[in-house]
């Protein structure tokens, strides 16, 4: 009887289910489709599905042939990675050089300036083991981890990375692996349990019930040893939360929620004390023993941590100076001529010796050559045979079949549903665990929960808008309909509409703070970039409604704007549209600019240009032709023209009557009687009657004077809203093109 391991039990622990196989030879030669059917049958029994199982099982059992854990061996050969270094421009470079007729000599005059980060690195490890990459700063530890994790652009890295002898494809690697960055990138106001639960929502299949996902999270919390901190927030500089060691384990837990086969970690113990570092590596050891391959870089492990490691690779400036087990370190350095003292930490001694050699005249060349001879000698003496999978009832499994069989044991929770549901001859796994709508809902829920626990951020923003509105309301209190009142209205509208955009500058740090969380999560297809863009807009919009109503209510009646209830409604809509387009514009810039201060500088400068070309300071008809394009690109132009039309659209309302025509001119200081006589003279000259009550300027005249004649207020509103969607689309393309998360 053969046993297949499944992990569908309620407590999340592996359970064995007995299934009868035709014969060992027939299974080993079976197609992947048949194997996946068998896996599907196991899962049906695990969850109590009464659907008939496939007929590929018979009653002839052989209790001696027990299905063992499917082994995985990761090997990498001759990994080489070079990067170009920009040469500093000197005065000699500016002097023209005489061309040489010898092409070979011409090539040697200016050789390409490159630096080798990895130089023919080879090694192998298997499931159940932890391989640690050690070396001084700049030795190439992180680069090697990135190379193995496919985080170096295709074509830049030379060499091969294989799993069970087959070259790993990028799509397959994304599904079966996880990468834990050096920095702890977490939402500060979420609890440990919430953080892992959201990771489960992203990475586990949509068909898995929420109760099962909660059980998986609880099992992972137990595995990580953070049960006591499950209800504690992550915390940041301003909020007390979990400890550094617990934070690091949560970061690991996020990426292993789907139980990957390959786990890469970039210095997971960096910045931790010895006890916390030991606890982290101990967790990694348990993960490895569950059937995963764990590869990590580490700076200087303690004696206790060293006891948990299975394989070591020491690097020096991109070259391998030692590769083997921790137990072989003393003999290696003894034969090299530098024996390790008995009471000294082996890795500390090795790293100190490597640093000393790096500072010497010959460098580490001698140690590199000795390591090559050592490896050759070990192979000749058969002391260190190459890793091969142990004896298995299924020696002929391909990599895809091995992955499918591993899924049957409970590995790769996110890929299991799809893998077992198909009877195809190839392993098909979904690019994303969930549909775009589930991703949007989950992302929105997480962002809202994180923001709701920081109400002071929205409170400060609301207060700034209300205070600005209050100041404007008191400065422009009850503006009359005189010529001076018209100028004051124009000034109020220009300042008010530009304020909407300047207020949106606070959205700049939002994505900059989430940038690396986003890059980490999308690197392994936790969700689509389009889902993030849409959820980002959905989460931001409700707060914009509150801000719009608050500003409109503070200023509309206090300033004495026209239009009544419908005018107030349009006033609210155009303010909301301004907030929307301004927020989208700033969000787009945050996808381009990597630094907050630089971003603020660019935002303030561009918004100033938008205000300059809005039509308030200089009329559209007076803008030079070579700058008119900027007038139509100005985000302030369209809200400004919309509120002007909302204010001055009443044809029956007069703003200049009789002698008011002399206001804002040097004649305005004359006595009232003199103004009437002048007005009478003008009337006789024009051959018409102009009295002190004659309307000379209506709202339509003001709009014509301001050059607001091309678009209606509703068209201006639609264009402003359209700008918001346009910049959101640009933000999406920035994320699509600028977050590849790979070295060049």
């Amino acid at each position: 009887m053969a046993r297949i391991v499944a992990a569908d039990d309620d407590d999340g622990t592996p359970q064995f289910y007995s299934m009868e196989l035709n014969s060992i030879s027939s299974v080993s030669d079976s197609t992947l489709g048949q194997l996946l059917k068998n896996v599907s049958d196991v899962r049906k029994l695990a969850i109590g599905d009464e659907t008939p199982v496939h007929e590929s099982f018979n009653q002839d059992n052989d209790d001696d042939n027990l299905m063992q854990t499917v082994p995985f061996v990761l090997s990498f050969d001759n990994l080489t990675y070079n990067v170009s270094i920009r040469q500093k421009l000197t005065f000699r470079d500016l002097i023209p050089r005489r061309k040489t007729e010898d092409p070979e000599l011409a090539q040697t005059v200016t050789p390409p300036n490159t630096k080798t980060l990895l130089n023919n690195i080879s090694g192998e490890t298997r499931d159940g083991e932890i391989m640690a990459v050690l070396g001084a700063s700049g030795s190439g530890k992180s680069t090697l981890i990135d190379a193995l994790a496919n985080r170096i652009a295709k074509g830049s890295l030379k060499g091969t990375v294989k799993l069970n002898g087959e070259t790993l494809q990028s799509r397959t690697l994304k599904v079966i692996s996880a990468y834990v960055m050096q920095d702890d990138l977490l939402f500060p106001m979420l609890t440990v349990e919430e953080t892992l639960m959201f990771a489960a929502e992203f990475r586990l299949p949509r068909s898995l019930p929420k109760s099962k996902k909660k059980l998986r999270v609880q099992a992972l919390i137990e595995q990580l040893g953070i049960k006591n901190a499950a209800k504690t927030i992550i915390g940041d500089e301003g909020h007390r939360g979990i400890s550094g060691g617990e934070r690091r384990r949560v970061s690991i837990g996020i990426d292993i929620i789907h139980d990957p086969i390959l786990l890469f970690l970039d210095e997971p113990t960096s910045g931790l004390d010895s006890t916390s570092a030991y606890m982290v590596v101990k967790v990694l050891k348990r993960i490895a023993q569950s059937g995963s391959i764990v590869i990590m870089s580490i700076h200087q492990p303690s004696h206790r941590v060293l006891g948990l490691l299975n394989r070591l690779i020491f690097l020096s400036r991109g070259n391998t100076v030692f590769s083997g087990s921790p137990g072989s370190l003393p003999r290696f350095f003894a034969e090299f001529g530098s024996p390790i003292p008995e009471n000294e930490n082996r890795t500390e001694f090795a790293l100190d010796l490597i640093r000393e050699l790096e500072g010497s005249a010959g460098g580490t060349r001698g140690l590199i050559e000795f390591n090559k001879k050592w490896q050759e000698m070990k192979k000749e003496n058969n002391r260190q045979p190459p890793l091969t999978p142990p004896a298995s009832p299924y020696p002929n499994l391909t990599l895809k079949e091995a992955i499918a069989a591993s899924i049957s044991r409970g590995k790769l929770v996110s890929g299991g549903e799809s893998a077992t549901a198909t009877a195809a001859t190839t392993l098909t796994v979904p690019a994303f665990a969930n549909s775009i709508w589930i991703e949007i809902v989950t992302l929105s829920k997480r962002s809202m929960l994180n923001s709701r626990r920081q109400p002071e951020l929205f409170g400060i923003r609301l207060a700034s808008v209300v205070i600005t509105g209050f100041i404007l309301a008191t400065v422009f209190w009850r503006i009359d309909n005189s010529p001076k009142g018209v100028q004051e209205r124009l000034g109020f509208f220009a300042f008010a509409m530009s304020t909407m955009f300047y207020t949106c500058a606070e959205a700049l740090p939002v994505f900059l703070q989430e940038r690396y969380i986003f890059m980490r999560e999308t690197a392994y297809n936790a969700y689509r970039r389009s889902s993030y863009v849409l959820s980002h807009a959905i989460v931001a919009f409700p707060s914009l409604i509150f801000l719009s109503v608050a500003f409109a209510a503070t200023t509309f009646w206090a300033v004495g704007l026209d239009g009544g209830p419908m005018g107030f409604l349009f006033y609210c809509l155009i303010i909301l549209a301004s907030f929307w387009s301004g927020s989208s514009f700033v969000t787009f810039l945050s996808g381009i600019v990597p630094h907050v201060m630089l971003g603020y500088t660019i935002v303030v400068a561009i918004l100033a240009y938008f205000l300059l070309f809005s039509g308030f300071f200089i009329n559209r008809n007076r803008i030079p032709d070579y700058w008119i394009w900027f007038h139509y690109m100005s985000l302030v132009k369209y809200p400004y023209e919309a509120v002007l039309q909302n204010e001055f659209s009443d044809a029956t309302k007069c703003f200049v009557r009789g002698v008011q025509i002399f206001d804002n001119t040097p004649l305005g200081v004359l006595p009232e009687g003199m103004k009437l006589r002048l007005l009478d003279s003008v009337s006789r000259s024009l051959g018409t009657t102009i009295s002190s009550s004659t309307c000379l300027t209506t709202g339509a005249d003001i709009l014509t004077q301001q050059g607001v004649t091309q678009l209606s207020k509703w068209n201006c509103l639609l264009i402003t809203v359209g700008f918001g969607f346009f910049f959101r689309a640009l933000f999406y393309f920035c994320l699509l093109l600028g977050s590849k998360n790979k070295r060049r």
Side-chain angles (χ1 to χ4, degrees):
M1 177 174 294
R3 288 191 302 175
I4 301 179
V5 185
D8 283 332
D9 196 48
D10 288 342
D11 60 359
T13 58
Q15 301 294 321
F16 291 90
Y17 302 96
S18 299
M19 305 300 294
E20 302 164 5
L21 305 179
N22 289 328
S23 65
I24 299 306
S25 59
S26 65
V27 174
S28 62
D29 297 329
S30 62
T31 65
L32 177 60
Q34 294 169 343
L35 179 62
L36 294 180
K37 288 179 181 179
N38 297 344
V39 173
S40 179
D41 293 337
V42 174
R43 288 185 174 270
K44 287 178 180 179
L45 293 180
I47 63 176
D49 191 346
E50 297 180 357
T51 305
V53 299
H54 297 93
E55 298 301 329
S56 58
F57 301 92
N58 62 26
Q59 301 298 323
D60 298 330
N61 301 334
D62 187 354
D63 293 336
D64 295 332
N65 295 325
L66 300 178
M67 181 178 179
Q68 301 178 7
T69 299
V70 179
F72 290 98
V73 176
L74 181 72
S75 61
F76 47 97
D77 299 304
N78 303 321
L79 295 182
T80 301
Y81 177 49
N82 300 316
V83 294
S84 300
I85 301 177
R86 294 181 180 178
Q87 293 181 338
K88 293 183 179 180
L89 187 64
T90 62
F91 180 74
R92 290 185 61 185
D93 297 327
L94 301 177
I95 301 176
R97 298 183 182 182
R98 185 177 62 184
K99 294 185 178 180
T100 176
E101 297 180 358
D102 188 353
E104 295 184 359
L105 182 60
Q107 290 180 359
T108 60
V109 173
T110 56
N113 191 8
T114 62
K115 181 179 180 181
T116 300
L117 299 184
L118 296 177
N119 185 21
N120 291 324
I121 307 296
S122 300
E124 58 184 3
T125 184
R126 61 154 295 157
D127 58 302
E129 294 183 346
I130 298 180
M131 171 183 279
V133 183
L134 296 91
S137 298
S139 61
K141 300 189 300 296
S142 298
T143 306
L144 178 57
I145 299 295
D146 286 347
L148 297 176
N150 192 34
R151 290 166 62 88
I152 296 180
K154 198 172 184 179
S156 300
L157 179 68
K158 299 178 181 178
T160 59
V161 180
K162 297 182 178 180
L163 187 63
N164 285 9
E166 297 185 24
T167 302
L168 271 173
Q169 301 298 323
S170 176
R171 180 185 173 92
T172 303
L173 183 62
K174 275 190 174 185
V175 175
I176 69 172
S177 67
Y179 183 95
V180 181
M181 295 182 177
Q182 182 175 350
D183 299 322
D184 299 322
L185 306 171
L186 306 168
F187 284 91
M189 302 311 295
L190 300 182
T191 66
V192 170
E193 187 176 24
E194 290 169 345
T195 301
L196 295 176
M197 192 63 205
F198 279 117
E201 294 285 352
F202 289 131
R203 300 302 295 268
L204 302 187
R206 75 194 78 170
S207 57
L208 196 65
K210 193 166 185 178
S211 59
K212 294 281 187 180
K213 294 179 181 179
K214 289 182 178 180
L215 289 175
R216 169 60 184 158
V217 169
Q218 294 303 321
L220 184 60
I221 289 175
E222 292 282 354
Q223 185 182 22
L224 297 173
I226 51 177
K227 186 176 182 180
N228 293 333
K231 301 297 183 181
T232 306
I233 64 169
I234 301 298
D236 56 11
E237 295 82 0
H239 304 86
R240 186 175 180 84
I242 58 178
S243 65
E246 292 169 335
R247 187 190 301 263
R248 188 63 48 86
R249 279 177 273 171
V250 173
S251 297
I252 295 172
I254 288 176
D255 290 302
I256 67 169
I257 190 70
H258 63 302
D259 202 5
I261 295 173
L262 298 175
L263 178 59
F264 304 99
L265 304 102
D266 186 12
E267 298 199 17
T269 62
S270 177
L272 302 180
D273 57 73
S274 59
T275 301
S276 298
Y278 174 73
M279 293 298 297
V280 168
V281 179
K282 194 173 181 181
V283 167
L284 296 178
K285 186 67 175 179
R286 290 200 294 266
I287 295 171
Q289 291 171 345
S290 70
S292 298
I293 298 175
V294 178
I295 303 177
M296 68 176 184
S297 61
I298 190 169
H299 188 65
Q300 197 163 334
S302 64
H303 177 73
R304 290 195 301 168
V305 170
L306 185 63
L308 298 174
L309 307 179
N310 302 100
R311 294 187 171 270
L312 304 177
I313 293 182
F314 282 86
L315 299 181
S316 174
R317 296 174 181 173
N319 294 280
T320 305
V321 294
F322 173 80
S323 178
S325 64
S328 61
L329 271 173
R331 184 168 183 175
F332 175 84
F333 284 102
E335 295 185 11
F336 178 68
S338 301
I340 302 176
E342 292 184 4
N343 297 326
E344 189 161 349
N345 185 296
R346 298 173 184 178
T347 55
E348 289 182 5
F349 175 85
L351 292 171
D352 291 341
L353 178 62
I354 293 171
R355 290 191 191 97
E356 184 179 339
L357 292 175
E358 288 176 346
S360 63
T364 57
R365 189 179 301 110
L367 187 58
I368 295 170
E369 295 300 325
F370 177 78
N371 176 64
K372 293 179 181 178
K373 295 177 181 178
W374 168 272
Q375 299 298 334
E376 292 175 0
M377 181 183 65
K378 296 279 280 185
K379 290 180 181 179
E380 291 175 0
N381 297 336
N382 202 25
R383 294 176 183 172
Q384 189 181 16
L387 288 177
T388 56
S392 171
Y394 309 117
N396 298 325
L397 285 182
T398 65
L399 175 58
K400 292 179 180 179
E401 292 171 337
I403 294 174
S406 183
I407 290 172
S408 73
R409 300 187 295 110
K411 302 294 285 185
L412 293 179
V413 182
S414 65
E417 185 75 15
S418 175
T420 58
T422 179
T425 58
T426 58
L427 179 65
T428 57
V429 290
F432 300 93
N434 299 293
S435 65
I436 186 172
W437 306 114
I438 294 177
E439 291 173 355
I440 293 173
V441 170
T442 306
L443 284 167
S444 301
K445 189 187 302 181
R446 183 176 68 175
S447 296
M448 288 181 178
L449 183 60
N450 189 66
S451 300
R452 192 169 68 242
R453 291 177 180 169
Q454 302 178 84
E456 65 275 8
L457 298 181
F458 176 73
I460 293 174
R461 190 179 180 189
L462 179 62
S464 65
V465 169
V466 172
I467 291 174
T468 302
F470 175 77
I471 293 174
L472 289 175
T474 52
V475 170
F476 296 96
W477 179 263
R478 295 294 182 181
I479 299 177
D480 57 24
N481 293 330
S482 66
K484 290 183 179 180
V486 171
Q487 294 299 319
E488 291 168 354
R489 273 180 167 79
L490 297 178
F492 166 77
F493 287 135
F495 189 89
M497 294 302 105
S498 61
T499 298
M500 304 302 104
F501 294 93
Y502 281 108
T503 305
C504 292
E506 61 81 31
L508 185 67
V510 174
F511 176 70
L512 293 179
Q513 293 172 354
E514 298 180 7
R515 177 192 294 270
Y516 294 105
I517 298 179
F518 166 82
M519 293 176 67
R520 182 200 67 201
E521 293 176 335
T522 55
Y524 289 89
N525 291 357
Y527 48 80
R528 298 166 180 81
R529 291 170 175 83
S530 56
S531 301
Y532 181 84
V533 173
L534 292 173
S535 70
H536 191 280
I538 291 172
V539 171
F541 196 74
S543 63
L544 302 182
I545 297 177
F546 282 104
L547 296 176
S548 302
V549 174
F551 185 85
T554 306
T555 58
F556 187 83
W557 289 285
V559 176
L561 301 183
D562 193 31
M566 294 304 298
F568 174 75
L569 177 60
F570 183 83
Y571 186 60
C572 289
L573 291 177
I574 195 63
I575 291 176
L576 177 59
S578 301
F579 273 126
W580 162 248
S581 61
S583 175
S584 301
F585 172 70
V586 173
T587 301
F588 159 64
L589 286 182
S590 69
I592 301 177
V593 182
H595 304 292
V596 175
M597 294 310 299
L598 179 60
Y600 277 127
T601 302
I602 295 175
V603 167
V604 171
I606 294 179
L607 291 181
Y609 302 148
F610 284 162
L611 179 60
L612 174 63
F613 289 97
S614 64
F616 171 70
F617 293 102
I618 180 172
N619 194 289
R620 172 173 55 85
N621 301 326
R622 301 283 295 174
I623 297 177
D625 293 339
Y626 47 83
W627 279 119
I628 195 65
W629 59 272
F630 209 117
H631 170 72
Y632 291 102
M633 287 181 60
S634 172
L635 295 182
V636 182
K637 160 188 164 63
Y638 301 98
Y640 175 67
E641 292 188 359
V643 291
L644 287 186
Q645 293 185 69
N646 191 52
E647 180 67 17
F648 298 112
S649 59
D650 188 356
T652 62
K653 195 169 184 179
C654 185
F655 293 91
V656 178
R657 292 182 181 274
V659 294
Q660 288 181 336
I661 194 175
F662 301 115
D663 291 354
N664 299 325
T665 69
L667 300 178
V669 298
L670 296 176
E672 188 72 16
M674 181 66 71
K675 291 180 182 179
L676 290 173
R677 288 193 292 273
L678 286 173
L679 186 61
D680 184 60
S681 300
V682 171
S683 299
R684 289 195 302 270
S685 300
L686 296 176
T688 185
T689 302
I690 302 177
S691 65
S692 58
S693 60
T694 302
C695 182
L696 302 176
T697 302
T698 63
D701 298 324
I702 295 175
L703 294 177
T704 303
Q705 294 170 7
Q706 296 299 314
V708 184
T709 56
Q710 292 181 326
L711 298 170
S712 68
K713 67 178 185 178
W714 293 105
N715 287 335
C716 290
L717 176 65
L718 291 177
I719 292 175
T720 305
V721 173
F723 266 123
F725 286 105
F726 172 70
F727 286 118
R728 293 285 172 176
L730 291 182
F731 178 54
Y732 167 73
F733 287 110
C734 287
L735 299 185
L736 194 64
L737 301 176
S739 60
K740 295 297 183 181
N741 210 21
K742 286 189 177 184
R743 303 192 189 197
R744 298 294 179 184

